[in-house]
Amino acid sequence: VDPVAGGVSDVKWTDVTVGDIVEVRNRDLIPADLILIASSDANGLAYVMTANLDGETNLKLRQVSTDMNKRKFGKGCTLKCELPNNHLNNFEGTFTDGADQSSFPLSNQNMLLRGTQLRNTEFVRGVVTFVGRDTKIQMNAAKSPLKMSSLTKLGNFETVAIFGAQCVFCLVCGIVAASYANQSAIQDNSWIWGVDKPESGGSSLVLKFFTYMLIFTNFIPIAHVVQLDLAKLLQSIMMTKDLKCYHEITDVYGNVSQFPLEARSSELNEELGMVEYVFSDKTGTLTCNVMEFRKCSIAGVSYGQGTTEIGRAFRFRNNLPIPAEPVRSPDDPKTPNVNFVDPEMSAILADKSHPRAQRTHEFFLSLALNHEVMPEDGPDGQVILSASNPDEAALVYAAKHCGRAFFKRVRAKQEEVTLNIEGEDVAFTILHNLEFSSERKRSSVIVRMADGSLMLFTKGADNVILDLLDKDPAVNDPAMLEATKAHLDEYVNDGLRTLLVAQAVLPEARYRAWAEGMHAADIVLENRQQAREQAMAGIEKDLVLVGATAIEDKLQDGVGDAISSLRKGGVKVWMLTGDKVGTAVNIGFSCELVTKEMLNLRFVAGEAGQPSELKGLNLPGLNDLSSYESASATSQAIKRQLTALLSEVKSVCGADPSREACLVVDTEALTGLEAGMQADRELGGLFITLSGLVKSVICARVSPKQKARIVKMVREAAPETVTLSIGDGANDVPMIQTAHIGIGIYGLEGRQAVNASDYAIGQFRFLKSLLLVHGRWNHRRCAILTNYLFYKNAVLVLPNFFLGFYCIMSGSFFYYDTFYQFFNTIFTSLPILYLASLDQDVSAQVATAKPEIYRDGIERVFISNKIFWRWMAEGFYSSIIVFFVPLGAFSTFNLVAGGQVLGFWDLGMLIFFLDVVVVTVRLALEICYWTGIEIVCFALSLVPGLWGMWFMFSAQVDLSLPGFLSSYRIYGTYEIMFGTGVFWLTVLLTTVTCTIPIFCFIGAKTIEFPTRSDIGREMSKGWLNGVRTPS
């Protein structure tokens, strides 16, 4: 936009610079970070879709600053803002009008970010603030942390070790060559040296060392990386085709969203079979994140009949009566996200003269006004509420259910919200919306009521709101407070998410004085967020308690079974949640994270009135950490508690090894632990030791940053273990990126977790198949592939080492170069690729029915240094047989039909043929899932591959071809070798001699010392304890 003439012209994104005024039209992508100064909407509103930023497809509302809307600006205006950063949800700036020097605060609501798409708005105009790499989307485009699997690390170590072994072999060859070169009999043989000068011992050592270094190049399988990556790619494709990990959701518009398993990083496929720690978010991960309003407490009276699945389990565990399910009246309205039944509430709402009618009205009016929900027109003329989180939507729907229906929001110079209250439309003016944050743990709204009075409505976490209440007993009745707290405890036992609702009447003078301070905080450029939070806290005090809400977030299907199976498989499951300790523990019971038979340990410091010890445990308590006088005293208290818990778990579980334990931790105890670790590192070791002895850990009231620090603490304390984090929201991203493996769940909070993850699934229950089936299969496959590639290259290379002792280490090479280079590509690649992609030693049904089999991966049954060197010992043994059996056979029977004598190249081709046959048969011993595909792979490698190429190259000689294709060295060898009985006898004898000892070893090991996988394989074939079971 030309700021002088006002004309509009199209420009490329690359030509947009800071300070330009840009016009963006409907459905265009935003080219840079813009501050809105005008919109086609009369109220200065604009809608954007932020899918490119956070994966959310619902429209977000942005608006011109209310004081700037419809105002015309001339030259001399200035825009001051923060430096470029990666905070997508925060922006601090001030726009100053050059005409009268008036300043207008700017926030994230006034900003359009690059990469978002303008929707439902004809056009907008904005001032460019950041371009190119300074835009927020580019600042967030940092590379994800590099994650390398432990198998890759082990492979790198083995490669270095094999290179060291290769150097040793080359050094031996050099030393032997030097000893031969110093012998006079060798020095005087002119037929050896020809016209060249005989080599000295020293020069021969160096020369032969590097000669054999070239000959032994294939000792290190260069194809390892390529074949491993190709196998992982095929594994990922097969994983995504698993219908047992497929999920779909139908939204309110009838649109079906499909969520198959998505492998976003194939690098970690085998790592999925070695997971020992799972760190899980709760909301949206273990639960559905579909909230239902179930109960409430108003003025000390609880409403809402019935209980939840979690509540029934709690009452059953504690031998308490279980209430019957309420019967819903046919006259009750049906409202989304509301499962509230109480005839008493219906009577209060129907009788305006009821003593509790006024406080009930205030309660639901607060729910209908204190939110940032946007109404949208849905099918059949229904109003659908679009909320940033499902909790808010459930509360607003609850207000509608009880006769206070929010249906309109207009953001003009002053924001206006319209409610339908018992059939009458009433408008309210929203003066300030004090937003929720994870630090504040509350949200508030200041409203100009219809009668002109000012009201502050607040809702938030109980531990926060209780501190903000007026302490005057005449204002907040102590009996009512105690009753509300008792109701909160009851709701916690039902596994419900609770909030307290409070309000205050604001005198006009107090509000105006506060509003000036709030405006000053809004326009400050440095530390604006802290200044705003301080200003908000200044008005949120001396509140009157109205009541409490209780929302149910149901567990996802199959969560309990998945967690129980993972625990049986040796996986330690940690639940990290922001809920209260009681709520978290009850949900832990309901999802089988905690069982009644477990020894329950508690390391809690933050909830007043709740001692750290559980009933029946004579352990020292951990008081509120703020009560200790110094950091040293705090550290000592934490150390005493951890020591006592360690002693308890060792004593109880040591006496009964079958008994398991769980640990409950809260954020205050973790914060104290982190602070104490600065002075005493032993505290961290005590905590990790304790957590390693328990089967499950519940961390309550933890923040997103603490989640990541917990995962990092475990990783650093146990570097050999594999950790996995799973979550569904943006607050889980730090935890997901910190763990070895990150799993994102397609949830209702956008795709931030999925975008930051290594694998994505539709629901938590699919984690069972992902780990116990695919993870375990892939771990075994990749382990065999790694071991086998090093093994077969040892079988290929070492015969040349033995040959050196027969040719004074002259560096003679008896393999045909072209075939030698094709060994890892044409002759042996297909069978191992089949095994690494499709082989199944245990069926999926057995793997999930017997999760204990998964422990083999954790215990490194398939891959370790010991197992690797066992394979290398097999390779050394097989190379001896492959070399000396043919050498012995043809040194005696070296005459073939027609009187021809087998020579150097004939022996080389025979040994090469044996190399391929022996390693192929050895691989066949590892295949468990015979489908016919592997037969095709073997046939393609041996028949058209080795056999066909040998025939073709042996029958044709063309010296005009390049050296690597010229076949004169092996001309005629095919007819000579394949036409003799000695050849076939040698192949049979060599193969049997190489294979039988290994076969006997595997058989004896399986019979006498079977692993869990061996037993699972028998069960998959229909055998149990030596008895054939009916299919």
Side-chain angles (χ1 to χ4, degrees), residues 1-3 8 16-25 30-40 46 63-65 68 73 79 95 106 110-113 118 123-131:
V1 178
D2 188 332
V8 179
V16 174
T17 60
V18 174
D20 286 348
I21 299 176
V22 176
E23 179 176 292
V24 182
R25 301 181 182 92
I30 309 299
D33 290 352
L34 311 176
I35 290 296
L36 267 175
I37 60 172
S39 170
S40 58
Q63 65 181 118
V64 181
S65 178
M68 295 171 58
F73 300 99
L79 172 63
F95 189 89
L106 300 173
N110 315 124
M111 193 171 200
L112 300 180
L113 298 181
L118 186 67
F123 71 88
V124 295
R125 289 184 178 181
V127 178
V128 177
T129 54
F130 304 125
V131 297

Side-chain angles (χ1 to χ4, degrees), residues 816 818 953 957-969:
Y816 177 39
T818 303
F953 278 73
V957 176
D958 188 350
L959 299 181
S960 65
L961 290 173
F964 70 93
L965 288 178
S966 179
S967 55
Y968 68 91
R969 292 180 177 178

Side-chain angles (χ1 to χ4, degrees), residues 146-161 224-225 228 232 267-268 270-271 274 715 718-723 738-741 786 790 860 863-865 868:
L146 178 63
K147 294 184 178 182
M148 184 182 297
S149 70
S150 54
L151 186 60
T152 301
K153 295 177 183 177
L154 180 63
N156 293 340
F157 173 79
E158 309 294 6
T159 299
V160 174
H224 175 230
V225 176
L228 186 60
K232 289 181 179 181
E267 168 63 22
L268 304 173
E270 72 278 14
E271 205 85 339
M274 306 163 64
R715 280 196 62 170
E720 297 301 319
T721 61
V722 177
T723 60
T738 303
H740 292 91
I741 306 171
T786 297
F790 281 94
R860 309 298 193 267
I863 184 70
S864 65
N865 284 319
F868 173 81

Side-chain angles (χ1 to χ4, degrees), residues 179-192:
S179 65
Y180 278 125
N182 288 328
Q183 296 178 12
S184 57
I186 302 298
Q187 290 278 342
D188 296 338
N189 268 312
S190 58
W191 55 268
I192 295 178

Side-chain angles (χ1 to χ4, degrees), residues 69 79 105 292 616 691 836:
N69 191 31
L79 172 63
E292 286 188 341
S691 62

Side-chain angles (χ1 to χ4, degrees), residues 906-936:
D906 302 314
L907 179 63
M909 279 306 302
L910 172 59
I911 293 178
F912 185 86
F913 184 85
L914 291 173
D915 289 338
V916 176
V917 172
V918 167
V919 300
T920 301
V921 173
R922 175 64 182 92
L923 182 63
L925 296 180
E926 297 294 332
I927 294 178
C928 301
Y929 187 53
W930 291 84
T931 62
I933 300 176
E934 68 287 337
I935 301 296
V936 174

